[in-house]
Amino acid sequence: MLTGLLIILPLVASLLVFLTKGGTARTLAMAAAVAEFALSVFVYFQFKTNPAAANLSLNCTWVESMGIKFAVGIDGISMLLILLTTFLVPLIILSSYQNNYDKPNAFYSLILLMQMALVGVFAANDGFLFYVFWELALIPIYFICLLWGGENRGMITFKFFVYTLFGSLFMLIGLIYLYNHTGSVSGIKSWAINDLYAAGKSLNIDQQSAVFWMIFLAFAIKMPIFPLHTWQPDTYVTAPTQGTMLLSGIMLKMGTFGVIKWLLPVAPLALEKWGGTAILLSSIGIVYASCIAIVQKDYKRLIAYSSIAHVGLISAGILSANQQGVQGAVIQMLSHGVNVVGLFLIADILLRHTGTREIEKLGGIRNMNGQFSVLFLIIMLGSVALPLTNGFIGEFLLINGVYQYSAGVAAFAGLSVILGAVYMLRSYQKIMLGEKPSSGIEFGSLATSDKAVLIIVCIVIIAFGVYPKPLNDLAEPAVKTLLSTLK
Amino acid sequence: MLNGISINYYILLSAVLFIIGAVGVMARRNSIIIFMCIELMLNAVNLMLVSFSTLHNDAKGQVFVFFIMAVAAAEVAVGLAILSMIYRNIKNIDTDLLSNLKN
Amino acid sequence: MIKLIALVPLFPLIGFLINGFFGKKLSKGLSGGIASVSVLASFIVAVLAFLELEHSTNKSHVVELFSWISADTLNIPFEFLYDPLSAWFLLIITGIGFLIHIYSTGYMHDDAGFSRFFTYLNLFVFFMLLLVMGNNYLIMFVGWEGVGLCSYLLIGFWFKNQAYNDAARKAFVMNRIGDLGFLLGIILIFVSYGSISYGDVFSRAGVSSNAVVTAIALLLFIGAMGKSAQIPLYTWLPDAMAGPTPVSALIHAATMVTAGIYMIVRSNVFYSISEVASETVAIVGVVTAIFAATIGLLQNDIKKILAYSTVSQLGLMFLGLGVGAFSSSVFHVTTHAFFKALLFLGAGSVIHAMGGEQDIRKMGGLKGKIKITYITMLLGTIAISGIPPFSGFFSKDEILAHTYEHSKLLWVLGMIASMLTAFYMFRMLFLTFFGKFRGTHEQEHHLHESPSSMTIPLMVLAALSVLGGALGLPEFWHMPNWMSEHLSPIILHKNPSALDHTTEWTLMGLAVVAAGVVIYFAHAMFITNGVLPLENEEKMKPWQKLIYNKYYVDEFYDAVIRKPLDLISTAFYKFLDLQVIDGLVNGVGSMVKGTGNVVRLLQSGNIGFYIVSMVLGVILILLFTFII
């Protein structure tokens, strides 16, 4: 029931926001997002006291003739990702206080609609429902990018939309294939997640391989994994900052979450056969994207490529299918979500204050605003996974997980430790340190809303770097349960 | 046998009328003429229905014909209204010129 | 006190937080005072705990703080280990750290970033303490990377200068290369032993195969190469001299760079088992020692000379580790911390007096002007050159004696390195303090002794440099070698010296004679003949040019690693990403679009054509239905 409420609240708020006019839209959206966060924290405590509590899940019939149910529920992994979503959306809304968008009611309404779909994706326990939410999430972000995006947005958002839709259709085929194999015992077909798991396991290796690649394709495009990533940098750069945050902070996690919950348990045999190939692709993506990030000139594009590198490691960790890898992936998903929101806000602040994001045209900002430089430094360190920042916990577990799969791949993927430091420090140095460039830029003090977001992000980075136990407590048993179904 | 005339002649007449109509629709470019040709085809079908209805002593066919005539009349009313609007706009009713939907 | 050992890192952390948040609002005295007092408090706690440990029979205390990371079988608590090794390092770090804090209040007095400096310095002390106090490899890694961060921040302390920032970044990235090795080593330890806590790992080390142990040892050593500036990852350390001089003394001489030694001593069991790994350590160490010493011969920047000397001395310590003389290396770490910190601080005092000048070609004749600095630096130079009874002699001799036992060749190389050390150190001393003043008139006028906040640490360190040898007197003098006894609980495979006394005396005598000859030679060259360093490169002989340019190693790395990396990255981006991969994706799009464009032509808008097609279609359908 509570999970249902988590989905409905943003939907209702979204409709209400759409009906308002002018400045109230933002306030209302903010209030709704905070309320949603409070609700999710309440759910978290409920879940902590009794994970199996009946009031958490919801299971009602939707289309009876096809065995489709509106079934949502919570396990440790989805709890974490729902918390991430509900935590980030207020931050994302807060980060928009300095941008004055046209038609704010539509903008914030779409953000809340997006939130609803994302929570739905993470909570769905029914294959068909999962697919519905999965596609539903695409619609608001498409309009956010299309209507409030930057240069050349028509072409780029179209490519993004078609590309991801293309992948999703393969997933749908895969899911329908699984659905058709359900009910071998009872004779009643069903989309329930456990029935799909059972159906997947009853397949032989060739059938599983087909299902594996079809479903993986959708997730790989969403994450994105090399070489399916080319929609991502353009979309991230063109989308409005809040859109980019939604895309990279949360939507990307749909892909990684999907692999954990909807792919691993469905095709364990195929994973054994093809997991190595997928890990290899992911690892190539890490080094490849890191290298490309080194030569980027636009800071936002640099973060976009760094995001590909990070998600490559997450994907490799998941596919290595051991406790450390998958748990590290879950934790890194949270860390990356928070850090990348901070980084994209920094890119936005740079643009707003100086009129450019070109790394070469910036410099000497350290002199003009010491506070900003400290916040930037902390977020950057989180991103390069320095110990005692949140990024490190995930990265250590991930490399550990990949290592258990293959030491060579781990060493190769570990190059991101070095390359990440290269491009992050290089850009930080050029943007913040040294003398003011000859072209002359000014950088005043930060707006309160920006400062608030950056400070919150920094607190999270350090708090969960020093004390990640709350995250581990949720992730560890859930991952253990999940992995036990693989055997 | 209908009134001493073999059913084949009815079919033949109907077919000829239909083909004239079809060829007219395909070949002519004047919208009014195309319209008339459509009516011709409809009437060819009507003729067929009526003939077989009489042959089999079954009134269903004739009932159909009434419906078709009613629909055709309504169609003519709407169609001619459209045509006259087009004529007012572009002073022409040549179908080859009416290809705006292409782009 | 041992139960409260967590206070040791806590005090600098508090100092860091106070200075970090309120530093700008505090007066300079208060800001520097808080920072120094916090380290002093740690030092006091460390001393008390140390005394308790000395008198206790239990030599290993674990203090658990909280559970940090847990993933199924991987359990990493955040806990501290207090044993003789960490106890000793705590004393070095907090003791010398405190002296350098005091010195910094004088040295940095006129700097705009005064409180920022102490913020970083306190943070550094905190991470360094974590590094040595952790009870598992991951806590060590936390400190390891944390000190790297502080080193980065402090090298680039004067952040307006991009050359300094480049040096800082270079240090961080090079360290990260080592860190990756270290990280993989930790993971391999976990995979092999199911734990990364020292106690578990060392007790199980014998179980795994020699290959695994060798792999672990080598991976850890890669980390040590980065942090302790060994070939091939040493080039960051000389560049790191861009930071303020107290930083060079604390981080890049006394503490952080010796973290590699600490790590290997801590993991001594692996190196005792693996012949290959310890051989590698010894060879890398001795090669670095000689290589860096030769570069030091012709440097003209007073801090760069000391930096290469540090690299060289670290090489010597690794030589000691490689031949199994673990406690000797810790001994040398200690004495080196004394005299090298002294030399750096002295150099800082010289630079302070010279108004920021670091080039020894522009110095000379300073001994009368800055007496305390001169005398203390002289003591430091004698100590590093290995003249008895100064501290450097004992520690170096112990390492060389063990090396001699292990391999004569390594011993010869080690001897050469220490002779070179004596030469370039006295060269620096003579050029700086003797002869005529070669700077500008203005500088000469400005020359003055540093304030007492700077000279007192110099004097304390000088005293330690002179007397520090007492910590490890040679065994055959029938005196207790305190250091090796102190560390014996943590050295799992002991390697007592089996040399007979005559040989030891001979070796010792040889070392002293060699050092004496070298110093005499340096004296003849720079004082009697008054040779000065060449002003420009054109006049140099080819070998001098090669050394003067540091064997072109930086240029080599630039050409072999940095440039190709940039090139590959650009190729990946411009060609592979934008052209090939995105080209394929867009190609699919354009293909669909192209097909559409062709098919679109059928939709001519010509009603007649539509009808004809329809009729033809109907006819075709009929034909198909009836014929097929």
Side-chain angles (χ1 to χ4, degrees):
Chain A
M1 196 57 233
L2 282 169
T3 319
L5 209 58
L6 275 173
I7 296 173
I8 290 173
L9 181 69
L11 180 64
V12 173
S14 165
L15 292 175
L16 286 178
V17 169
F18 189 70
L19 296 174
T20 58
K21 285 212 173 83
T24 52
R26 190 166 70 188
T27 322
L28 187 62
M30 189 69 200
V34 171
E36 171 84 352
F37 179 57
L39 180 63
S40 68
V41 170
F42 176 69
V43 172
Y44 164 68
F45 283 112
Q46 290 278 309
F47 179 76
K48 223 176 136 192
T49 43
N50 180 10
N55 65 349
L56 287 176
S57 58
L58 181 67
N59 195 353
C60 45
T61 312
W62 187 10
V63 183
E64 202 167 8
S65 58
M66 287 193 284
I68 300 172
K69 287 190 162 180
F70 192 94
V72 288
I74 282 181
D75 61 17
I77 300 171
S78 52
M79 185 70 244
L80 283 171
L81 285 160
I82 289 172
L83 279 172
L84 176 75
T85 311
T86 58
F87 172 73
L88 285 183
V89 169
L91 280 190
I92 291 171
I93 293 175
L94 186 59
S95 76
S96 74
Y97 271 44
Q98 302 306 314
N99 309 67
N100 284 316
Y101 291 114
D102 280 346
K103 296 186 229 120
N105 59 334
F107 185 74
Y108 293 106
S109 168
L110 285 170
I111 290 184
L112 289 172
L113 189 64
M114 178 88 186
Q115 181 179 27
M116 170 249 174
L118 290 165
V119 173
V121 165
F122 296 136
N125 269 338
D126 180 280
F128 190 81
L129 189 65
F130 172 74
Y131 181 77
V132 168
F133 279 126
W134 174 276
E135 294 293 32
L136 190 59
L138 192 57
I139 296 165
I141 194 67
Y142 172 71
F143 282 108
I144 289 174
C145 298
L146 184 67
L147 297 179
W148 291 275
E151 210 179 318
N152 205 6
R153 60 194 179 214
M155 164 79 187
I156 289 167
T157 44
F158 180 69
K159 178 168 160 185
F160 156 62
F161 191 88
V162 172
Y163 209 146
T164 49
L165 195 68
F166 172 78
S168 309
L169 288 175
F170 280 94
M171 174 171 83
L172 183 63
I173 297 172
L175 288 176
I176 291 174
Y177 187 80
L178 286 175
Y179 167 74
N180 280 332
H181 283 81
T182 56
S184 54
V185 183
S186 62
I188 305 162
K189 291 205 162 83
S190 146
W191 286 92
I193 187 164
N194 287 325
D195 293 331
L196 294 181
Y197 285 179
K201 275 183 204 145
S202 68
L203 300 177
N204 68 29
I205 186 153
D206 294 328
Q207 291 167 317
Q208 274 196 13
S209 302
V211 171
F212 176 85
W213 281 112
M214 278 195 280
I215 297 182
F216 185 67
L217 186 66
F219 297 148
I221 290 175
K222 204 67 135 199
M223 287 194 258
I225 293 295
F226 174 86
L228 303 169
H229 63 275
T230 51
W231 62 268
Q232 190 253 37
D234 286 339
T235 312
Y236 279 18
V237 172
T238 306
T241 303
Q242 284 67 38
T244 317
M245 289 171 174
L246 284 171
L247 276 168
S248 61
I250 318 174
M251 201 168 174
L252 176 165
K253 276 76 195 178
M254 282 167 46
T256 45
F257 172 80
V259 177
I260 296 177
K261 191 166 173 184
W262 293 94
L263 185 57
L264 294 190
V266 162
L269 292 177
L271 182 72
E272 237 163 75
K273 185 173 175 195
W274 293 109
T277 317
I279 289 178
L280 201 65
L281 283 179
S282 308
S283 307
I284 292 173
I286 299 169
V287 175
Y288 176 79
S290 299
C291 282
I292 291 182
I294 294 175
V295 293
Q296 289 310 307
K297 296 193 170 72
D298 181 340
Y299 191 60
K300 206 174 176 188
R301 194 175 285 270
L302 185 149
I303 307 168
Y305 275 106
S306 88
S307 187
I308 298 177
H310 279 127
V311 83
L313 188 57
I314 295 177
S315 154
I318 296 171
L319 291 162
S320 63
N322 52 49
Q323 177 80 25
Q324 284 78 27
V326 180
Q327 192 181 330
V330 173
I331 289 171
Q332 187 72 335
M333 278 150 78
L334 304 182
S335 311
H336 177 261
V338 175
N339 298 359
V340 89
V341 163
L343 285 172
F344 278 121
L345 179 61
I346 284 166
D348 193 43
I349 290 173
L350 289 173
L351 182 67
R352 264 189 274 125
H353 281 248
T354 65
T356 180
R357 285 190 310 246
E358 295 267 312
I359 293 166
E360 299 292 337
K361 289 184 188 159
L362 294 165
I365 294 175
R366 179 84 171 81
N367 258 339
M368 297 179 246
N369 190 335
Q371 207 174 25
F372 176 59
S373 72
V374 173
L375 295 170
F376 188 173
L377 181 74
I378 294 175
I379 296 174
M380 181 195 81
L381 293 174
S383 178
V384 300
L386 203 84
L388 297 192
T389 65
N390 58 2
F392 175 69
I393 312 289
E395 186 157 306
F396 172 69
L397 289 174
L398 282 170
I399 296 182
N400 200 327
V402 177
Y403 191 98
Q404 290 172 43
Y405 182 80
S406 149
V409 174
F412 183 66
L415 288 177
S416 69
V417 171
I418 300 164
L419 296 172
V422 171
Y423 62 76
M424 276 296 172
L425 293 187
R426 186 137 104 177
S427 57
Y428 182 78
Q429 179 185 343
K430 286 197 173 147
I431 293 171
M432 302 302 288
L433 307 178
E435 294 283 1
K436 216 198 284 201
S438 51
S439 55
I441 49 166
E442 288 306 322
F443 198 97
S445 55
L446 291 179
T448 319
S449 61
D450 288 340
K451 207 192 284 179
V453 175
L454 292 180
I455 288 175
I456 293 172
V457 168
C458 287
I459 290 174
V460 171
I461 286 177
I462 293 173
F464 286 116
V466 176
Y467 196 68
K469 197 166 182 300
L471 307 183
N472 273 322
D473 283 350
L474 276 183
E476 194 183 353
V479 171
K480 212 181 243 178
T481 322
L482 184 104
L483 290 177
S484 66
T485 64
L486 290 190
K487 281 157 199 149
Chain B
M1 287 299 260
L2 292 170
N3 306 331
I5 301 167
S6 154
I7 187 74
N8 289 345
Y9 294 101
Y10 289 95
I11 293 175
L12 201 64
L13 175 63
S14 174
V16 168
L17 277 175
F18 189 88
I19 289 170
I20 291 171
V23 170
V25 167
M26 284 188 271
R28 299 304 294 261
R29 297 191 309 191
N30 188 312
S31 302
I32 301 282
I33 303 223
I34 291 175
F35 224 81
M36 281 158 49
C37 291
I38 292 172
E39 291 301 317
L40 209 55
M41 292 196 296
L42 278 172
N43 284 326
V45 175
N46 283 350
L47 178 63
M48 197 64 112
L49 280 167
V50 172
S51 329
F52 276 101
S53 162
T54 319
L55 184 68
H56 295 300
N57 268 331
D58 184 350
K60 276 179 196 158
Q62 306 197 13
V63 175
F64 260 123
V65 171
F66 277 112
F67 275 106
I68 292 174
M69 277 157 68
V71 170
E75 197 187 308
V76 168
V78 176
L80 283 178
I82 292 173
L83 280 182
S84 65
M85 285 309 290
I86 290 173
Y87 184 73
R88 260 188 238 167
N89 274 321
I90 61 169
K91 301 287 173 218
N92 203 326
I93 47 171
D94 189 334
T95 51
D96 280 6
L97 295 173
L98 298 175
S99 54
N100 284 348
L101 277 178
K102 186 165 75 174
N103 299 317
Chain C
M1 259 310 156
I2 290 176
K3 286 202 180 95
L4 298 177
I5 203 69
L7 287 177
V8 177
L10 185 66
F11 286 126
L13 183 65
I14 293 172
F16 158 71
L17 292 175
I18 294 176
N19 262 322
F21 282 110
F22 312 110
K24 277 193 188 143
K25 292 174 193 123
L26 300 174
S27 70
K28 284 193 175 175
L30 204 56
S31 176
I34 289 171
S36 311
V37 166
S38 68
V39 182
L40 178 64
S42 297
F43 180 62
I44 292 168
V45 176
V47 170
L48 293 176
F50 182 77
L51 295 174
E52 197 179 322
L53 185 74
E54 280 295 284
H55 295 106
S56 127
T57 45
N58 180 3
K59 293 291 183 192
S60 168
H61 302 264
V62 174
V63 180
E64 181 170 349
L65 297 184
F66 54 86
S67 156
W68 189 33
I69 297 177
S70 107
D72 201 19
T73 51
L74 176 69
N75 271 301
I76 304 170
F78 206 102
E79 60 188 9
F80 292 147
L81 172 67
Y82 192 73
D83 69 352
L85 184 62
S86 56
W88 187 245
F89 269 88
L90 288 192
L91 289 181
I92 299 180
I93 295 160
T94 52
I96 293 186
F98 172 63
L99 289 175
I100 290 174
H101 272 70
I102 296 289
Y103 179 92
S104 305
T105 55
Y107 189 84
M108 298 300 288
H109 196 266
D110 300 323
D111 198 281
F114 188 81
S115 69
R116 189 161 56 90
F117 181 79
F118 281 101
T119 312
Y120 295 163
L121 218 53
N122 267 344
L123 184 66
F124 168 77
V125 173
F126 166 70
F127 275 123
M128 193 66 211
L129 291 169
L130 273 193
L131 194 160
V132 297
M133 285 179 74
N135 186 33
N136 58 55
Y137 279 101
L138 209 63
I139 307 284
M140 193 204 277
F141 189 76
V142 170
W144 192 270
E145 288 244 292
V147 291
L149 166 69
C150 297
S151 164
Y152 166 76
L153 292 171
L154 284 162
I155 296 169
F157 182 73
W158 290 303
F159 55 80
K160 286 188 197 169
N161 185 328
Q162 287 291 27
Y164 293 179
N165 292 328
D166 286 339
R169 189 157 51 95
K170 181 175 175 185
F172 195 87
V173 171
M174 281 210 140
N175 268 300
R176 274 246 150 168
I177 297 175
D179 292 354
L180 176 61
F182 188 5
L183 194 64
L184 292 175
I186 294 175
I187 293 171
L188 182 56
I189 289 174
F190 166 67
V191 173
S192 313
Y193 306 117
S195 168
I196 56 169
S197 288
Y198 298 142
D200 300 337
V201 174
F202 300 149
S203 59
R204 295 171 202 167
V207 193
S208 50
S209 72
N210 204 310
V212 171
V213 173
T214 305
I216 291 174
L218 288 176
L219 284 170
L220 293 182
F221 183 52
I222 292 176
M225 280 180 193
K227 191 93 342 186
S228 297
Q230 296 298 295
I231 288 174
L233 300 176
Y234 73 96
T235 59
W236 65 270
L237 186 58
D239 287 12
M241 296 300 125
T245 309
V247 171
S248 313
L250 178 61
I251 300 184
H252 304 124
T255 53
M256 183 185 88
V257 289
T258 59
I261 320 284
Y262 168 79
M263 178 224 263
I264 290 184
V265 175
R266 181 57 86 193
S267 327
N268 61 74
V269 62
F270 295 134
Y271 295 87
S272 312
I273 295 174
S274 168
E275 191 88 359
V276 179
S278 56
E279 233 19 75
T280 313
V281 172
I283 290 168
V284 169
V286 79
V287 170
T288 309
I290 289 200
F291 192 77
T294 55
I295 299 177
L297 291 177
L298 287 181
Q299 293 304 306
N300 293 327
D301 182 321
I302 187 166
K303 286 180 72 183
K304 288 258 162 90
I305 298 174
L306 291 173
Y308 281 107
S309 155
T310 306
V311 176
S312 167
Q313 293 292 313
L314 289 167
L316 217 54
M317 295 175 208
F318 278 106
L319 173 63
L321 297 175
V323 300
F326 296 108
S327 74
S328 317
S329 285
V330 175
F331 183 25
H332 198 56
V333 165
T334 313
T335 58
H336 178 256
F338 295 154
F339 57 66
K340 192 50 73 58
L342 166 64
L343 287 166
F344 265 115
L345 294 184
S349 179
V350 170
I351 294 165
H352 192 71
M354 293 288 296
E357 182 60 64
Q358 304 194 0
D359 193 333
I360 52 171
R361 286 173 298 193
K362 305 212 169 99
M363 298 176 183
L366 297 181
K367 69 173 172 178
K369 307 275 176 34
I370 43 174
K371 269 219 170 70
I372 303 177
T373 308
Y374 164 63
I375 293 170
T376 50
M377 276 193 85
L378 177 64
L379 295 175
T381 309
I382 297 175
I384 196 176
S385 303
I387 303 291
F390 288 61
S391 61
F393 165 75
F394 293 101
S395 52
K396 195 188 285 187
D397 187 68
E398 212 177 301
I399 289 178
L400 287 176
H402 275 96
T403 311
Y404 181 80
E405 218 176 323
H406 185 82
S407 148
K408 306 284 179 294
L409 176 68
L410 290 178
W411 177 78
V412 171
L413 294 173
M415 275 299 283
I416 294 175
S418 58
M419 282 160 73
L420 291 171
T421 305
F423 181 79
Y424 64 72
M425 285 309 298
F426 270 93
R427 168 180 177 266
M428 184 194 90
L429 190 81
F430 290 147
L431 288 174
T432 310
F433 292 101
F434 291 80
K436 267 198 294 232
F437 187 72
R438 297 181 294 274
T440 60
H441 188 70
E442 210 176 308
Q443 281 171 327
E444 190 168 13
H445 185 69
H446 176 260
L447 282 175
H448 62 282
E449 183 58 278
S450 303
S452 56
S453 62
M454 288 165 70
T455 49
I456 290 172
L458 284 180
M459 291 187 271
V460 175
L461 285 169
L464 289 170
S465 306
V466 176
L467 305 172
L471 291 168
L473 296 172
E475 257 160 84
F476 65 97
W477 286 10
H478 302 292
M479 304 251 226
N481 185 329
W482 180 84
M483 184 62 82
S484 96
E485 272 171 35
H486 175 69
L487 290 180
S488 64
I490 63 117
I491 311 287
L492 298 178
H493 296 263
K494 287 174 195 66
N495 185 7
S497 173
L499 288 179
D500 62 67
H501 293 181
T502 338
T503 325
E504 287 216 22
W505 277 112
T506 320
L507 291 179
M508 218 177 249
L510 264 178
V512 176
V513 170
V517 169
V518 167
I519 294 167
Y520 176 76
F521 181 65
H523 186 270
M525 189 166 167
F526 295 106
I527 305 278
T528 320
N529 292 334
V531 174
L532 290 176
L534 294 167
E535 277 303 319
N536 55 33
E537 260 185 80
E538 278 83 60
K539 289 181 196 154
M540 290 181 187
K541 297 182 187 102
W543 68 269
Q544 285 174 317
K545 227 176 188 169
L546 182 68
I547 290 179
Y548 183 76
N549 286 307
K550 305 148 200 162
Y551 299 106
Y552 298 98
V553 172
D554 277 323
E555 287 78 1
F556 175 73
Y557 283 170
D558 211 48
V560 173
I561 295 168
R562 205 184 60 82
K563 289 225 176 81
L565 182 65
D566 268 7
L567 212 67
I568 290 172
S569 303
T570 315
F572 274 173
Y573 179 53
K574 292 261 162 74
F575 178 68
L576 199 55
D577 212 49
L578 293 185
Q579 306 284 325
V580 178
I581 298 178
D582 206 27
L584 275 175
V585 174
N586 287 339
V588 173
S590 342
M591 213 174 70
V592 173
K593 218 168 139 188
T595 321
N597 251 334
V598 174
V599 178
R600 191 181 69 121
L601 295 179
L602 290 177
Q603 301 284 325
S604 59
N606 186 328
I607 296 173
F609 174 70
Y610 292 167
I611 296 169
V612 172
S613 343
M614 193 177 89
V615 170
L616 284 177
V618 169
I619 292 171
L620 276 178
I621 289 171
L622 288 176
L623 278 179
F624 271 112
T625 336
F626 287 110
I627 294 170
I628 298 164

